[in-house]
Amino acid sequence: MAEAKYVGKWNEQEVLDRIEHVRRQAPRIRDEAINMSHGAGGKATHTLIEALFQPAFGNSMGDQAIFDVNGSTLAVTTDTYVVSPLFFPGGNIGELAINGTVNDLAVGGAEPLYITCGFVLEEGLEVALLRQVVEAMAAAAEAAGVKLVAGDTKVVPRGKGDKIFINTTGIGLIREPDRLGIGKVVTGDAILVTGPIGDHGTAIMLARGDLDIETDLESDTAAVHTLCAAMMSAGDVHFMRDATRGGVGTVLNEIAREANLGIAIREDAVPVRDEVRGAAEILGIDPLYVANEGRVVAVVAGGEIGAVLDACRAHSLGERASVIGEVLAEPPGMVFMHTAFGGSRVVDMLIGDPLPRIC
Amino acid sequence: MKFVDEFRDQGVAARLARSIARESAGRDWKIMEVCGGHTHTIYKYGIEDVLPSNVELVHGPGCPVCVIPMGRVDDGIAVAKTEGVIFTCFGDMMRVPGSDGSLLDAKAQGADVRMVYSPLDALKIARQNPDREVVFFAIGFETTAPSTALTLMRAADEDVKNFSVFCNHVTIVPPMKAILDSPDLRLDGFLGPGHVSTVVGIRPFEFVSARYDKPVVVVGFEPLDILQGVYMIVKQIKEGRCEVENQYTRIVRDDGNPKGLEVMQQVFALRPHFEWRGLGFISQSALRIRDEYAAFDAELRFEVPGVRVADPKACQCGEVLKGVLKPYECKVFGTACTPETPIGTCMVSSEGACAAYYNYGRFSRAASRIEALEKLEVL
């Protein structure tokens, strides 16, 4: 098996090496216009950031920025919400905006403190609807212990927007600087997800009603800052990321690429609800790429995974947490999966956009 | 999940793999899976890891998106860009490149292109938008043709005047003949297309065993279906038999779905010839809309360029579709041609051999790495 088969000009390994070489080159944008996949959180989004935003802004841009002010370490994050429909089983755009912003801070090890929000409203939007969204934001903020401190409102003519778009900025305090980071990820680390994957994306898709499938499935939207804090106090967590657009599969690829290490996961260890598996099966999509709004992928020191897993399962948002795989030295930058069937395959980043406007 | 997990059982797979290894020992085997759905399953579950190394699966021409030539994509895009048109298609089709961009690009430029899961959804959009022209880009083998036929019959019944179909339906037997006649391919047998056979039955494949002396086993799309199909082919040859067998008995009847065949017959007629991506023109290989339903034929309702566009020079989709080249043996595989920026159709659809290999199979199966996976058991 280890011996490469020579067929024609290339052997398989040469081709794989050539592909890896190409993949490592700086990405170029080949599209002439923005299409929906640029917003899907997968490959096209990464290309846009790396080939257009980063060179122009002269900065590496992650989910949060971390900086020191008068001896305190602060994290800042920004996010925009365009989900359709505005209300879906398990939540709405307002709740999502607060939770999503809190989560971007929390996975960086920050204690969320303040959030600002900007609204883009479409002419004709019912005030009662807006009130519901705003009240949901207030409730979510109170539950998460963050203060909404500044805002902005713009209205666009009918047809130039879609009811409500929300932009947020979140500021948090990092009490233990340098505790987390992609640089801390090493071979032998274990990989944990905090619960069943794909709930949010599937709930949204079913809520759109294109599919005539009835389930009780709800979005997993939740603020995970206390869960993250519990895991961090239980053991040596090296890195965390919330698996939103692009799903767990894309986050694992980001980790593998940024750490330049390999990741292997076991399909049968990845928790997926039957409703999600069923819908994904019918649509031919993979739950690994379906968005979550309350699930965290954590990379934990191999020896301390037991304690961190216990802490996670003791938290109401992490009861179904599972250790899904581990970090390997080889192959660098790649994620592969041992299938429940007994084979193995690559898990690549999300390509294209199976479910637009998910958050 | 019930009725799914049973067909993905690792223990049964291991037993089947041992039986295949026993029966196939002593020589090399090349078996073609005709259908793109099979190719997808093979890579998604890593079936090549389970099969003994002397059994090779060769990927066939049965991916409906992959066989659409560029000229037809251009025609579809021209219709999509027509003022007032809502253009509907299956999701995979949106990313297939024409000579100047894909339907996704046309959408970004302002065309109203929408993804649907069924032609009936397209008809629904037509009823909801009576002041717009709604066109459905119909693709697929005999699997999807009956649903297009039924949709056209319903449109005629309900007299939906703003609905039409851009028909690109093809049939499975002619490309199989083309492959069997191709001198550069040596195959031991075929895994027959399960979904197509639900409609056409298993008899249309009898020419393969009778005239070309190759066994055919019609198989389903779960990983155990594929393994059992491989086992049945190997066993036939070992026992000196050569026939068409049906592994997918839970779905496929020997004479198919007569009702489905009937509606197809009613709505479609054979085209004298049709261009296939990479395979060139094949006579009597595709369906057109019958004159009785001409009012719903988008090719008659809209100006389409109808120009044959040569495949890009670098693209070797034809060789891949015929199973002559493995995906990674193509000159542009994985470098210039990737799922994000496909040059050829095989890289677009999840059923395309190149996309399946790129997305799932693109790693060295060196023993050390498999060992690394086994270490995971301790977790």
Side-chain angles (χ1 to χ4, degrees):
Chain A
M1 213 177 222
E3 205 174 315
K5 253 190 271 179
Y6 277 87
V7 194
K9 196 173 160 196
W10 307 103
N11 82 33
E12 192 171 2
Q13 191 56 50
E14 276 171 12
V15 175
L16 296 176
D17 292 345
R18 212 155 37 106
I19 293 170
E20 277 317 296
H21 177 71
V22 170
R23 283 164 64 88
R24 274 158 206 280
Q25 289 169 353
R28 269 184 317 130
I29 302 177
R30 302 197 211 188
D31 304 285
E32 279 172 23
I34 293 298
N35 61 47
M36 295 306 289
S37 66
H38 290 112
K43 265 192 190 165
T45 308
H46 279 263
T47 303
L48 193 65
I49 294 171
E50 286 164 31
L52 199 145
F53 291 128
Q54 283 182 186
F57 297 158
N59 224 329
S60 83
M61 297 171 75
D63 279 346
Q64 337 75 24
I66 291 168
F67 50 90
D68 291 317
V69 182
N70 285 342
S72 299
T73 305
L74 297 179
V76 63
T77 181
T78 184
D79 215 332
T80 304
Y81 297 84
V82 298
V83 65
S84 166
L86 297 176
F87 292 80
F88 47 82
N92 62 55
I93 189 171
E95 211 177 321
L96 197 67
I98 299 302
N99 290 343
T101 310
V102 165
N103 294 350
D104 274 347
L105 294 169
V107 293
E111 182 185 324
L113 297 176
Y114 301 105
I115 291 180
T116 71
C117 53
F119 290 92
V120 179
L121 308 177
E122 188 190 9
E123 179 187 25
L125 174 74
E126 292 162 46
V127 172
L129 203 76
L130 180 60
R131 189 188 305 277
Q132 266 180 286
V133 169
V134 169
E135 282 171 358
M137 288 176 83
E142 198 189 328
V146 288
K147 288 199 172 63
L148 284 159
V149 289
D152 178 48
T153 310
K154 297 284 188 299
V155 177
V156 294
R158 190 188 283 273
K160 303 285 179 191
D162 190 3
K163 294 186 184 119
I164 305 177
F165 296 150
I166 301 175
N167 172 264
T168 61
T169 297
I171 293 176
L173 176 67
I174 296 183
R175 294 197 190 273
E176 298 175 88
D178 301 322
R179 169 92 197 265
L180 300 172
I182 197 71
K184 305 245 185 271
V185 175
V186 291
T187 306
D189 281 359
I191 295 170
L192 172 152
V193 291
T194 58
I197 65 168
D199 292 1
H200 177 74
T202 311
I204 295 281
M205 184 173 56
L206 296 179
R208 288 184 188 156
D210 297 341
L211 274 174
D212 294 336
I213 299 174
E214 283 180 25
T215 75
D216 300 327
L217 185 70
E218 293 195 338
S219 163
D220 58 347
T221 179
V224 297
H225 57 300
T226 55
L227 178 65
C228 290
M231 288 197 288
M232 283 177 71
S233 35
D236 190 7
V237 178
H238 288 161
F239 184 79
M240 290 189 282
R241 189 161 283 173
D242 51 338
T244 54
R245 287 171 310 169
V248 169
T250 298
V251 167
L252 292 174
N253 271 279
E254 289 167 354
I255 295 171
R257 247 176 64 167
E258 289 166 29
N260 202 29
L261 292 166
I263 289 179
I265 60 169
R266 292 185 59 94
E267 186 176 25
D268 53 13
V270 179
V272 187
R273 288 184 210 281
D274 273 356
E275 300 94 304
V276 174
R277 271 186 74 195
E281 192 73 38
I282 290 169
L283 292 174
I285 55 180
D286 188 333
L288 278 173
Y289 300 115
V290 179
N292 309 274
E293 287 293 338
R295 301 289 176 242
V296 177
V297 174
V299 184
V300 181
E304 306 202 1
I305 185 64
V308 174
L309 181 66
D310 288 345
C312 194
R313 285 185 174 159
H315 192 285
S316 63
L317 291 174
E319 285 162 359
R320 286 189 61 190
S322 172
V323 178
I324 61 167
E326 76 170 314
V327 178
L328 308 170
E330 293 279 327
M334 261 188 145
V335 181
F336 62 117
M337 178 160 90
H338 192 48
T339 68
F341 187 68
S344 46
R345 68 161 161 100
V346 169
V347 176
D348 206 346
M349 253 189 204
L350 172 71
I351 296 162
D353 188 4
L355 306 165
R357 290 187 60 189
I358 212 81
C359 62
Chain B
M1 198 163 37
K2 243 186 135 172
F3 307 123
V4 171
D5 293 335
E6 296 88 328
F7 298 100
R8 297 175 188 174
D9 185 281
Q10 191 175 356
V12 181
R15 284 201 294 283
L16 259 172
R18 278 195 297 273
S19 306
I20 293 169
R22 195 176 56 238
E23 293 288 333
S24 69
R27 53 167 283 203
D28 285 342
W29 301 74
K30 263 189 170 183
I31 296 169
M32 174 178 274
E33 84 275 3
V34 173
C35 183
H38 291 148
T39 309
H40 183 80
T41 299
I42 287 162
Y43 281 113
K44 183 167 178 195
Y45 296 92
I47 291 178
E48 288 178 326
D49 290 346
V50 178
L51 282 174
S53 56
N54 58 325
V55 177
E56 185 190 340
L57 294 172
V58 181
H59 317 309
C63 160
V65 169
C66 303
V67 300
I68 301 285
M70 279 180 110
R72 298 294 286 186
V73 178
D74 286 356
D75 290 350
I77 290 172
V79 175
K81 285 183 172 172
T82 308
E83 185 75 34
V85 163
I86 299 175
F87 195 80
T88 59
C89 64
F90 295 141
D92 278 354
M93 206 55 228
M94 295 185 70
R95 293 173 45 239
V96 177
S99 59
D100 184 24
S102 63
L103 281 162
L104 202 63
D105 296 323
K107 182 173 185 261
Q109 289 158 18
D112 191 348
V113 182
R114 303 185 193 178
M115 183 179 93
V116 291
Y117 294 105
S118 146
L120 285 170
D121 292 345
L123 184 61
K124 195 158 119 191
I125 293 172
R127 282 193 298 253
Q128 288 162 350
N129 297 274
D131 52 341
R132 306 273 303 271
E133 280 287 333
V134 177
V135 183
F136 175 65
F137 194 150
I139 61 159
F141 290 87
E142 288 91 336
T143 324
T144 51
S147 63
T148 306
L150 274 176
T151 305
L152 282 170
M153 288 165 77
R154 189 174 292 183
D157 278 352
E158 297 175 5
D159 199 22
V160 183
K161 292 209 185 323
N162 62 327
F163 177 73
S164 59
V165 167
F166 179 46
C167 181
N168 291 278
H169 284 299
V170 287
T171 57
I172 193 74
V173 166
M176 282 181 77
K177 269 198 184 122
I179 284 164
L180 283 159
D181 289 331
S182 138
D184 36 3
L185 191 70
R186 192 191 62 81
L187 290 172
D188 294 296
F190 288 88
L191 296 175
H195 287 151
V196 168
S197 303
T198 59
V199 177
V200 302
I202 68 167
R203 305 225 159 84
F205 305 109
E206 276 166 1
F207 77 97
V208 182
S209 55
R211 258 190 282 152
Y212 293 90
D213 215 19
K214 310 281 182 207
V216 178
V217 176
V218 169
V219 294
F221 294 84
E222 293 299 331
L224 284 183
D225 290 326
I226 306 241
L227 284 185
Q228 195 184 5
V230 169
Y231 176 75
M232 287 165 76
I233 285 177
V234 171
K235 198 143 169 61
Q236 273 200 40
I237 295 178
K238 286 276 284 203
E239 291 172 359
R241 289 181 293 128
C242 178
E243 50 201 65
V244 180
E245 286 183 298
N246 183 5
Q247 179 275 337
Y248 203 21
T249 48
R250 65 183 188 280
I251 308 277
V252 172
R253 303 213 172 92
D254 285 3
D255 49 0
N257 176 349
K259 185 75 200 163
L261 290 168
E262 192 191 309
V263 295
M264 271 171 67
Q265 185 69 28
Q266 219 170 317
V267 175
F268 299 121
L270 275 178
R271 291 178 194 260
H273 49 74
F274 191 75
E275 191 196 352
W276 291 60
R277 178 86 193 238
L279 303 175
F281 284 90
I282 304 180
S283 65
Q284 306 210 312
S285 64
L287 305 174
R288 67 170 176 86
I289 296 171
R290 272 190 195 283
D291 296 344
E292 295 90 307
Y293 291 88
F296 299 98
D297 191 341
E299 278 175 85
L300 303 174
R301 196 180 289 198
F302 297 93
E303 285 283 327
V304 292
V307 178
R308 182 172 184 273
V309 181
D311 289 343
K313 274 210 181 68
C315 173
Q316 294 180 291
C317 277
E319 277 73 21
V320 173
L321 281 169
K322 282 186 283 193
V324 176
L325 284 188
K326 292 234 154 227
Y328 63 79
E329 289 166 342
C330 170
K331 291 191 287 280
V332 289
F333 176 83
T335 47
C337 183
T338 63
E340 334 50 298
T341 53
I343 292 177
T345 44
C346 299
M347 196 51 108
V348 177
S349 166
S350 61
E351 294 190 358
C354 294
Y357 180 86
Y358 187 93
N359 289 333
Y360 295 142
R362 175 177 37 84
F363 68 100
S364 164
R365 285 160 200 280
S368 61
R369 294 179 186 174
I370 301 295
E371 254 170 48
L373 270 171
E374 263 141 29
K375 254 176 49 192
L376 275 172
E377 305 276 2
V378 297
L379 287 171

